[in-house]
Amino acid sequence: MENRQINYKEFVRYVHDHFSDTTTLEEVEDILHLEDDYNKDSPNSLGKSLVIDRLIFKGEKKTGEIFMFDQPVQRGINIWIADNHKGKSTIFKVIKFALTGSDSIKKDIKHWITEIFLQFSIGKVVYTCYINRTGRDRGGVYRFSIDKFIELRENQKLDDVKKEIEFEFNNRNQFEEKIQDFFFEQFSFYTLKYTQKNSAKDSFEMNTSNLSWTTYFKSIYLESNNYEYLFFENEKYGAQGKKIFEMILGLPLTYPINMLNIQMDRVLEAIGKKKLFDKNKLEFTKSTKVQLEKRLSVVQLEQKALQEGQKIEFNERPLIEEYNKLSQKVNETRKQQRIITDTYQAVKNDLVALETEVQSLESDKGKVLLEITKLKKRELNIDIYRQSESFFTNLEIKTCPHCEKKVSEEKKKIEIEDRICSLCGEESKDQKIDPEEINEKAKLLKDERIKHEEKLEQIETTLRKLDGEIKRMRKKYTDEYAKFAILPSVETDSRRLTAIENEIETIGKQRTKFADLISKKESFIKEEAIILFQLNEISKQELQIDSTEMKRLNLKRDVLDYALQGLEKKRIQLNKDILNKLQELIINEIHAFGLNSINNLEISDKYELVFIQHGVPVSFSDLTEGEKLRVKLAFYLSLIQLDIEHNLGRHPRFLIFDSPGSEEMVPKHLQGLSDIFKSINDRFKDQLQIFVGSALRDFSNITDKEKTFIKKEDEFVF
């Protein structure tokens, strides 16, 4: 058998030889030392496979219907055919839950399920996983069948078989941890790690994550939403898909390369932080230096001001004398201004009062004139009435103006006695006004008019007097305003007073400052010496930044980089035969599935699959949807074949295909996919186990009848 191991001590010496001038062998060994052996990985098959024997789960639906799904299954291909959303995926998710502890069952269904039983075999050992879902998940994995478990539980003898209990759990976290340990031990898996950079901008923080058994299970359970990817959605994070590939194949040197890469990421993180720290430290040093230089400039200016201040004579007496004279002048001018202003304002007030009185009298005059006019009109009306009454009283009508008939003496008599008109014959209701009454009313109106005329005369007399007074007051107002207008301004003198105050204040401040400078002279000299010393020390620190610690980190980075390059080259040599065999198996399966457009396949040094299609290299993402499905089937079947035919790799030989062919709606493609599954079933029979869930009834003949579970249209699986 080809030797697929490396000599660790020779490898350490090989790396040290490259760095012998800068480090010791012990330091290199300390960098490259790992907790486990460098030869931890082996591609040799363990000869184990995972086989599901029986699945039971039961509970109560939301409608109150009690259900129990009990399905024995066999090696080879087992297929469930039912319409979409009728429970196929739930079966696979229940199996996934029982094998990993990861619950992805739909929320609206998971609460229905009260108990799960999964019987499976690894090699010749039969196991039963039991999960009680009433309340907190609890249960265990036992080394016997479901029937025996049920029998022991009914007889209350489960506690008597301690040696056959693989493990028990009281919550889901315990279950996930223990089922992972169980399968890691069974198939020689272990946790690979990867780092992810913190999403914060400009952050050098790295988070370390682990590839769990649940992650590796993605190479077994091919979910309907992941046929677009070779491994699974978002596999780019931490290159998880490639790490699963390395683990399933058991590629030699996977463990040391993984762990040294993690170390490299951590060293790069530390270098980034160190650079940021040194940058901040340097910026802080520069900032401190700038502040010290500014302070030094101030101290030196203060000392210079002290020297200059000794030459200054502080004499403000002339300014004070000028200030006093100007202040007296301004006060006298303001006194004159107040006297003239008060007189001027008093005259103005008197004038306004007289004008207001005249306006009031003019208003009264208008009202009296209006009233006199009204009274004269009323007197005129009475006089007209009196004259018309006299005219009609002395008038004698002898003939009707309309018919020209004569008015008889008898009618005239009746008119006088009974008030019936001699012309129209109508009786008059109006009383004729007494002439004495009219005369009395006319006399009253005349008396009232005379009174208003007398009042008017009084108002006009007063207005004539006020007119003379106003003329006199306006002349006086004009004279006082002329005096006010020629008053001298104090604005210029006031500005000079303010300027003198500022000059005196400045002299005072200079005198105080000079006194302070004299008192601080010694402290300025000491502070200058201290600042000069600090600036000298900062200059030394600037030269020392990025010294010992950064050199150590850079050396560790270079050692790890050189070691990883050496391991990668060695792994390419060690794994060449394994990968060649896998390449051959995959391309054979691809051709068997009818994809003749793919001429060849290469697995790169980075473990990426490169397909040669029509002579052009393409990646998995470049293929069409139908091509991706066939290639994915070919890839996973080849991993299993590598174990079956070459005794290499650690795939459990168990696969779940949930809804394959959803993109294969063309009849020709459906028939081709059906033929592929038939071929797989015929070729491998009991050497593997595959579960298929589909809504396509074209798949009803891909396997034996006893392995085909078909539901009628619109019928639920459970």
Side-chain angles (χ1 to χ4, degrees):
M1 181 179 291
E2 181 183 350
N3 183 12
R4 292 194 175 93
Q5 296 188 337
I6 67 166
N7 187 306
Y8 173 66
K9 292 190 178 297
E10 288 182 3
F11 175 66
V12 173
R13 284 195 292 272
Y14 157 78
V15 176
H16 175 254
D17 287 344
H18 190 72
F19 298 94
S20 57
D21 295 339
T22 54
T23 186
T24 65
L25 180 68
E26 289 74 18
E27 287 174 329
V28 172
E29 204 281 332
D30 183 60
I31 293 171
L32 299 180
H33 175 74
L34 299 175
E35 185 178 350
D36 289 335
D37 189 0
Y38 268 54
N39 296 304
K40 179 176 182 175
D41 302 286
S42 171
N44 298 323
S45 171
L46 301 174
K48 293 181 178 181
S49 60
L50 171 63
V51 179
I52 307 296
D53 300 318
R54 184 182 178 189
L55 171 65
I56 300 175
F57 60 92
K58 57 185 179 179
E60 182 178 347
K61 296 183 180 181
K62 189 176 181 180
T63 59
E65 176 190 349
I66 304 296
F67 69 90
M68 184 172 80
F69 178 88
D70 186 352
Q71 185 69 68
V73 289
Q74 302 176 42
R75 292 174 181 266
I77 293 182
N78 296 261
I79 183 165
W80 284 263
I81 297 176
D83 293 344
N84 290 325
H85 310 296
K86 295 300 179 183
K88 300 185 299 297
S89 295
T90 300
I91 294 172
F92 301 147
K93 288 177 180 178
V94 169
I95 293 171
K96 173 190 171 184
F97 180 38
L99 293 178
T100 66
S102 176
D103 185 1
S104 58
I105 302 169
K106 285 182 65 179
K107 291 182 179 180
D108 58 335
I109 293 176
K110 67 170 63 181
H111 299 297
W112 298 357
I113 301 172
T114 56
E115 287 185 297
I116 297 172
F117 304 81
L118 181 70
Q119 181 179 313
F120 61 93
S121 302
I122 299 177
K124 295 182 180 180
V125 183
V126 175
Y127 297 92
T128 291
C129 175
Y130 169 71
I131 306 170
N132 188 318
R133 306 218 70 183
T134 56
R136 203 168 48 179
D137 291 336
R138 59 194 186 279
V141 173
Y142 308 88
R143 289 190 294 276
F144 42 70
S145 67
I146 289 177
D147 289 337
K148 184 174 180 180
F149 175 86
I150 293 173
E151 180 185 350
L152 289 169
R153 186 174 68 167
E154 287 176 352
N155 294 325
Q156 298 182 345
K157 291 186 177 182
L158 272 177
D159 293 335
D160 298 338
V161 290
K162 294 291 184 185
K163 293 181 180 180
E164 295 178 281
I165 299 175
E166 189 67 36
F167 65 83
E168 291 182 316
F169 58 89
N170 291 314
N171 57 62
R172 181 118 53 85
N173 288 337
Q174 280 186 8
F175 182 32
E176 282 191 85
E177 291 171 5
K178 292 184 177 183
I179 199 74
Q180 172 169 290
D181 293 341
F182 171 75
F183 278 106
F184 274 10
E185 182 181 355
Q186 291 293 328
F187 293 101
S188 293
F189 292 151
Y190 58 88
T191 296
L192 287 176
K193 299 178 182 294
Y194 63 95
T195 56
Q196 288 178 288
K197 186 178 177 182
N198 191 304
S199 59
K201 186 179 180 181
D202 299 329
S203 172
F204 292 97
E205 294 290 338
M206 302 290 288
N207 300 320
T208 302
S209 302
N210 300 325
L211 263 66
S212 63
W213 164 238
T214 301
T215 312
Y216 295 145
F217 196 77
K218 293 177 183 293
S219 67
I220 294 173
Y221 183 14
L222 312 183
E223 297 188 67
S224 57
N225 61 343
N226 271 318
Y227 287 112
E228 185 180 346
Y229 306 90
L230 185 59
F231 289 97
F232 54 91
E233 190 176 4
N234 297 331
E235 61 191 43
K236 61 182 178 181
Y237 295 120
Q240 296 178 47
K242 296 173 189 175
K243 286 181 170 57
I244 292 174
F245 181 57
E246 294 169 359
M247 179 58 63
I248 295 299
L249 287 179
L251 295 179
L253 301 182
T254 293
Y255 169 72
I257 288 175
N258 179 248
M259 296 309 295
L260 292 181
N261 268 316
I262 296 297
Q263 280 196 53
M264 174 66 89
D265 289 342
R266 288 301 179 193
V267 170
L268 293 176
E269 176 189 11
I271 289 172
K273 287 181 178 179
K274 176 66 177 167
K275 285 181 178 178
L276 181 62
F277 174 78
D278 287 347
K279 179 184 176 184
N280 292 338
K281 185 177 179 182
L282 185 60
E283 289 176 353
F284 176 76
T285 302
K286 287 180 179 177
S287 175
T288 305
K289 184 178 179 180
V290 169
Q291 291 175 1
L292 288 171
E293 288 173 342
K294 285 182 179 178
R295 182 57 188 164
L296 178 63
S297 176
V298 171
V299 170
Q300 290 173 342
L301 285 173
E302 296 286 11
Q303 289 181 328
K304 185 178 179 182
L306 181 62
Q307 294 172 355
E308 295 294 328
Q310 293 173 338
K311 303 174 185 178
I312 299 173
E313 293 184 5
F314 301 103
N315 184 14
E316 64 266 44
R317 182 175 296 279
L319 290 171
I320 293 172
E321 290 176 357
E322 182 185 357
Y323 184 86
N324 290 335
K325 288 179 181 179
L326 275 176
S327 180
Q328 184 177 1
K329 178 185 176 184
V330 168
N331 289 336
E332 289 175 357
T333 302
R334 284 177 175 164
K335 183 177 179 182
Q336 291 175 8
Q337 286 178 336
R338 282 196 301 273
I339 293 169
I340 294 173
T341 301
D342 291 345
T343 304
Y344 164 75
Q345 192 63 42
V347 172
K348 184 179 178 181
N349 292 340
D350 291 343
L351 179 59
V352 170
L354 286 172
E355 288 175 341
T356 302
E357 186 179 356
V358 168
Q359 288 177 355
S360 178
L361 287 170
E362 289 288 353
S363 176
D364 291 344
K365 179 181 176 181
K367 292 176 183 177
V368 171
L369 283 171
L370 183 63
E371 191 63 30
I372 290 170
T373 301
K374 288 181 182 178
L375 289 169
K376 284 181 177 180
K377 284 182 180 180
R378 290 175 68 186
E379 282 182 292
L380 179 60
N381 288 338
I382 288 175
D383 188 50
I384 290 169
Y385 178 81
R386 192 162 41 196
Q387 291 176 12
S388 63
E389 180 72 16
S390 173
F391 173 77
F392 282 105
T393 303
N394 298 323
L395 181 64
E396 182 181 358
I397 298 173
K398 295 182 178 182
T399 304
C400 176
H402 180 68
C403 62
E404 297 183 354
K405 286 184 178 183
K406 290 183 179 182
V407 179
S408 65
E409 291 297 326
E410 186 180 353
K411 284 185 177 182
K412 290 179 183 180
K413 185 178 180 181
I414 293 171
E415 180 179 5
I416 294 170
E417 293 176 357
D418 299 331
R419 294 184 179 275
I420 295 173
C421 180
S422 59
L423 293 177
C424 62
E426 293 291 329
E427 182 180 358
S428 176
K429 300 295 183 182
D430 295 332
Q431 289 283 347
K432 291 188 178 182
I433 299 173
D434 189 0
E436 290 298 325
E437 184 181 343
I438 292 173
N439 291 335
E440 181 63 25
K441 190 169 186 179
K443 183 178 180 303
L444 290 173
L445 286 173
K446 181 180 180 181
D447 292 343
E448 188 176 353
R449 174 175 56 78
I450 291 169
K451 286 181 182 178
H452 278 82
E453 287 173 346
E454 291 173 353
K455 186 176 181 180
L456 177 62
E457 181 62 30
Q458 291 174 359
I459 291 172
E460 287 177 340
T461 301
T462 304
L463 283 172
R464 284 192 293 273
K465 290 180 182 179
L466 288 175
D467 183 57
E469 185 68 19
I470 285 175
K471 287 179 181 178
R472 184 183 65 78
M473 192 64 69
R474 281 178 178 169
K475 183 178 183 308
K476 187 176 181 182
Y477 171 78
T478 302
D479 295 341
E480 293 300 328
Y481 180 78
K483 293 178 185 178
F484 178 78
I486 62 174
L487 282 174
S489 172
V490 297
E491 185 177 350
T492 302
D493 291 338
S494 295
R495 282 201 300 269
R496 178 56 187 158
L497 285 172
T498 302
I500 292 171
E501 288 173 356
N502 292 335
E503 289 182 41
I504 293 171
E505 185 180 359
T506 301
I507 292 172
K509 287 180 179 178
Q510 287 179 330
R511 182 183 284 108
T512 303
K513 181 179 179 181
F514 184 67
D516 291 341
L517 288 172
I518 292 172
S519 65
K520 294 178 180 178
K521 181 177 180 181
E522 292 300 323
S523 64
F524 283 148
I525 295 171
K526 290 179 182 178
E527 187 176 1
E528 182 182 26
I530 292 170
I531 291 172
L532 290 171
F533 173 77
Q534 290 174 332
L535 287 171
N536 185 49
E537 289 299 307
I538 286 174
S539 298
K540 292 178 182 178
Q541 289 179 13
E542 288 177 339
L543 297 174
Q544 293 174 352
I545 286 178
D546 191 24
S547 56
T548 309
E549 176 65 13
M550 185 59 80
K551 289 178 181 177
R552 185 187 69 79
L553 289 171
N554 286 332
L555 175 63
K556 188 172 183 180
R557 176 199 61 198
D558 294 341
V559 168
L560 287 170
D561 183 59
Y562 187 77
L564 282 166
Q565 289 182 35
L567 288 175
E568 292 285 3
K569 291 177 183 177
K570 184 66 175 176
R571 182 158 75 158
I572 291 171
Q573 296 173 3
L574 296 178
N575 296 329
K576 186 175 182 181
D577 179 57
I578 303 171
L579 297 180
N580 284 340
K581 286 182 171 64
L582 181 61
Q583 285 177 186
E584 184 179 352
L585 289 169
I586 295 173
I587 197 64
N588 288 340
E589 288 300 321
I590 286 174
H591 289 161
F593 294 167
L595 286 180
N596 296 317
S597 63
I598 298 178
N599 314 111
N600 205 348
L601 164 72
E602 296 175 2
I603 300 177
S604 72
D605 295 342
K606 299 294 184 182
Y607 303 104
E608 296 171 339
L609 272 65
V610 180
F611 304 94
I612 311 302
Q613 190 172 36
H614 301 299
V616 178
V618 298
S619 66
F620 183 81
S621 61
D622 295 322
L623 300 174
T624 65
E625 300 304 322
E627 289 171 340
K628 285 179 181 178
L629 180 58
R630 285 175 167 78
V631 168
K632 191 161 184 171
L633 284 169
F635 174 74
Y636 283 99
L637 285 172
S638 297
L639 289 176
I640 294 173
Q641 278 182 269
L642 193 66
D643 183 2
I644 295 172
E645 296 182 11
H646 301 288
N647 200 33
L648 295 171
R650 290 177 289 196
H651 195 282
R653 300 191 191 180
F654 171 62
L655 290 171
I656 298 174
F657 287 100
D658 187 1
S659 301
S662 57
E663 293 85 14
E664 302 281 329
M665 301 311 293
V666 179
K668 178 182 175 182
H669 290 171
L670 281 175
Q671 184 59 46
L673 189 58
S674 176
D675 292 341
I676 288 170
F677 281 117
K678 286 180 185 178
S679 172
I680 294 169
N681 191 55
D682 293 339
R683 283 188 290 148
F684 300 107
K685 293 191 180 294
D686 295 341
Q687 294 177 307
L688 50 68
Q689 187 178 44
I690 297 177
F691 288 173
V692 179
S694 178
L696 302 174
R697 300 187 182 271
D698 303 71
F699 291 166
S700 58
N701 296 317
I702 65 173
T703 187
D704 305 324
K705 288 185 178 181
E706 64 271 17
K707 303 176 189 177
T708 304
F709 313 107
I710 303 176
K711 294 295 179 180
K712 297 177 182 178
E713 289 186 8
D714 207 35
E715 182 182 1
F716 285 92
V717 175
F718 64 92

